[in-house]
Amino acid sequence: MSISTSPQKGSGANAPKDEEQRLRELGYQPVLARRMGGFGNFAISFSVISILSGCMTLYGFGMSTGGPAVMLWGWAGVGLFVLCVGMALAEVTSAYPTSGALYYMADRLGGRKWGWYTGWLNLLGLLGAIAGIDYGAALFTGALMNLQWGFAPTPGRTMVIFLCILLLHAVLNLFGVRLVSVLNSISVWWHLAGVAVIVSVLAIVPSHHQSPSFVFTEFVNDTGWENPLYVAAIGLLLAQYTFCGYDASAHLSEETSNASVSAARGIVRSIWVSWVAGFVLLAGLTFAIQDYAGTQDSATKVPPAQILIDALGTSGATAMLLIVIAAQLFCGNAEVAAASRMVFAFSRDNALPGSALWRKVSAHTQTPVNAVWLSVVVAGLLAVPSLYSATAYGAVTAINVIGITPAYAIPIFLKLRAGDRFERGPWHLGRWSKPVGWIAVVWVSIVTVLFLLPQSSPVTIDSMNYASIALVAVLVLATVWWFVARRSYSTPSAYGNAREQAEIEEGII
């Protein structure tokens, strides 16, 4: 595949100055500090994907929805399709490197309504991601406390831990993007070293390992549904949920040097590195299972923790859990950074209630302080149903997937529809642009439907998939608010003339 990153404006020693000019050409006055390098931009998406968060947190879900076979082969297949989505999205990001990212791209390529609904879907997904990541970290923290001190991880206690983690991430993000960038850079090496340590220890210490046949072919169905294809399909949520959040590179592009290239590269690199490392982690965990049923019914409420206890003993499991929890904290911190930039950008274009408040930037740190607080507060509210329903956490993760994944595909689809009218940036796919783009759009369409489906049978108030309700709610909210804010909402004009803009909005072009 031929991918071009030919040097254009935005590369070299004067990149920050050139990128500031590019931002002005797109209609925005620079107000955020451009203090993040290319590695830092890759690091934030890699940290948000966080294989030590997604894979570990939803491992128990995967054990019931297809088991080892679906977890391993599902990861391999989903990763390939997600890489297509990421490459297609990176191409559009290179052309429009702004904090608004997906909704700004959609607005430019399709008109105001496309941008509006893309923005609301993206926002739902990002806020759902904060809730899912930090609640997962709270679950693992509760498991560690149970292991060490016999702490009973009740829903109420887990919620308290979750709120403390949210507060920590809010405070860290208030110090500015430089600290966020440093933490994300540490996060990359922590994740890679952590996976290497966990898998190596699980390969060496236990006296018993599962057979390759079990790891790669064993199918388990504890969902209540009889159709194995249906079960395998919903089992893909583990991989698809983990492979979310790589748009963080785009959301931080206004704070990245040489963003037209660095943000695009950050998206693609974060996906393929996570793809390889995640497969190794899942295989290492599955080979080390000592008692499948006992792992599922673990007193810690976290199956991977039970795998570590059975294979390594209490002391070894404690050390490995500390590695996992630290990785999850890095992940949640990066996600708060990405979500707050989306809130800031959407408010900058007057799309949110109280936009004037959320778009304010600290003169000292050049950070959107109020947007940070709004992000963590809404994420906290999204996790409240976990107090009352054991399946609510699965719904929160599904909200993340069905909110953010369609938002990835919309600008890709609009780019394909625009044809030659799309002016590509310095990072592009060349002749592979159309085939990769269409693969991405079709894949997103499929998984969006899959993750609206019920995940267990019979379907009751406790077991139903509330992601569909959340999706309908945000679309209704977006539609209602459109009639209130449509006169004030707008991205800065970058079109050739008013007639062209009108034709785009009418769908003529």
Side-chain angles (χ1 to χ4, degrees):
M1 180 179 293
S2 175
I3 298 175
S4 172
T5 55
S6 55
Q8 295 185 12
K9 186 162 61 175
S11 61
N14 295 323
K17 179 180 178 181
D18 291 343
E19 288 292 351
E20 302 288 52
Q21 179 58 34
R22 175 57 181 152
L23 188 59
R24 292 187 183 95
E25 291 171 0
L26 294 174
Y28 293 114
Q29 184 66 27
V31 295
L32 300 175
R34 202 175 286 274
R35 296 170 179 164
M36 183 175 284
F39 185 81
N41 187 277
F42 148 74
I44 191 165
S45 282
F46 182 77
S47 297
V48 171
I49 292 175
S50 183
I51 52 177
L52 284 172
S53 179
C55 291
M56 302 291 274
T57 303
L58 281 186
Y59 191 87
F61 174 86
M63 292 182 75
S64 299
T65 54
V70 173
M71 283 194 282
L72 270 297
W73 294 115
W75 181 271
V78 170
L80 179 61
F81 285 115
V82 170
L83 186 60
C84 290
V85 178
M87 289 191 295
L89 184 63
E91 187 174 45
V92 192
T93 298
S94 181
Y96 303 110
T98 71
S99 294
L102 309 181
Y103 89 85
Y104 180 87
M105 302 170 194
D107 184 285
R108 282 290 174 262
L109 294 168
R112 293 173 71 224
K113 280 192 176 181
W114 279 104
W116 177 267
Y117 282 100
T118 301
W120 279 97
L121 286 170
N122 191 195
L123 188 59
L124 171 68
L126 288 168
L127 296 174
I130 297 174
I133 293 163
D134 281 1
Y135 196 84
L139 288 171
F140 271 77
T141 302
L144 177 65
M145 295 169 70
N146 172 266
L147 188 62
Q148 286 295 101
W149 304 292
F151 174 85
T154 63
R157 290 177 173 180
T158 302
M159 179 62 66
V160 172
I161 298 171
F162 166 67
L163 294 176
C164 291
I165 293 173
L166 280 179
L167 180 61
L168 170 66
H169 287 154
V171 172
L172 288 174
N173 271 270
L174 296 181
F175 283 100
V177 73
R178 182 161 306 204
L179 176 61
V180 172
S181 183
V182 169
L183 291 173
N184 289 331
S185 297
I186 296 171
S187 172
V188 171
W189 302 113
W190 186 275
H191 273 81
L192 294 177
V195 169
V197 169
I198 291 171
V199 172
S200 298
V201 170
L202 288 177
I204 296 170
V205 175
S207 58
H208 167 75
H209 289 91
Q210 298 291 341
S211 66
S213 174
F214 175 86
V215 172
F216 294 105
T217 66
E218 183 72 14
F219 183 86
V220 178
N221 176 15
D222 294 329
T223 64
W225 299 109
E226 295 183 0
N227 190 317
L229 291 178
Y230 182 90
V231 174
I234 60 176
L236 298 179
L237 177 59
L238 182 154
Q240 188 65 51
Y241 165 69
T242 305
F243 282 117
C244 275
Y246 44 86
D247 58 314
S249 289
H251 288 295
L252 272 291
S253 58
E254 289 184 33
E255 296 160 86
T256 302
S257 300
N258 194 18
S260 297
V261 173
S262 295
R265 285 177 175 168
I267 291 171
V268 177
R269 287 176 178 172
S270 67
I271 294 171
W272 73 258
V273 174
S274 298
W275 187 20
V276 174
F279 188 87
V280 172
L281 176 62
L282 288 173
L285 283 170
T286 309
F287 271 112
I289 293 175
Q290 305 296 305
D291 177 1
Y292 201 93
T295 298
Q296 288 179 294
D297 297 330
S298 172
T300 67
K301 308 298 183 185
V302 179
Q306 193 62 48
I307 293 175
L308 296 172
I309 293 168
D310 292 344
L312 309 176
T314 302
S315 298
T318 300
M320 297 303 103
L321 282 175
L322 286 172
I323 293 174
V324 173
I325 292 168
Q328 292 173 335
L329 294 177
F330 279 127
C331 174
N333 189 64
E335 186 61 44
V336 169
S340 63
R341 271 48 174 193
M342 173 60 197
V343 171
F344 159 77
F346 218 25
S347 299
R348 180 172 58 182
D349 293 329
N350 295 306
L352 294 180
S355 286
L357 179 63
W358 313 126
R359 63 173 173 253
K360 288 184 178 180
V361 175
S362 166
H364 178 61
T365 62
Q366 292 180 275
T367 298
V369 173
N370 294 337
V372 169
W373 285 115
L374 179 65
S375 299
V376 297
V377 168
V378 175
L381 294 174
L382 284 176
V384 167
S386 296
L387 286 169
Y388 311 103
S389 170
T391 60
Y393 180 69
V396 170
T397 56
I399 286 171
N400 170 217
V401 173
I402 59 94
I404 208 168
T405 307
Y408 290 157
I410 292 172
I412 298 171
F413 167 74
L414 293 173
K415 180 209 69 173
L416 293 167
R417 192 182 73 165
D420 293 338
R421 186 168 55 81
F422 172 69
E423 296 181 9
R424 65 191 187 187
W427 194 102
H428 58 83
L429 297 171
R431 68 180 183 274
W432 292 95
S433 179
K434 286 186 178 179
V436 170
W438 281 116
I439 290 172
V441 170
V442 171
W443 172 250
V444 168
S445 300
I446 292 172
V447 297
T448 299
V449 173
L450 287 181
F451 300 137
L452 290 173
L453 300 175
Q455 297 167 356
S456 59
S457 177
V459 179
T460 65
I461 292 177
D462 288 333
S463 67
M464 76 172 290
N465 184 353
Y466 289 94
S468 55
I469 296 176
L471 179 62
V472 170
V474 77
L475 291 176
V476 170
L477 174 62
T479 302
V480 171
W481 191 247
W482 168 257
F483 290 102
V484 176
R486 60 180 173 175
R487 297 188 186 280
S488 60
Y489 163 72
S490 66
T491 57
S493 178
Y495 298 95
N497 55 59
R499 179 180 177 184
E500 183 182 359
Q501 166 66 357
E503 288 174 342
I504 290 173
E505 293 195 8
E506 291 297 323
I508 296 174
I509 294 180

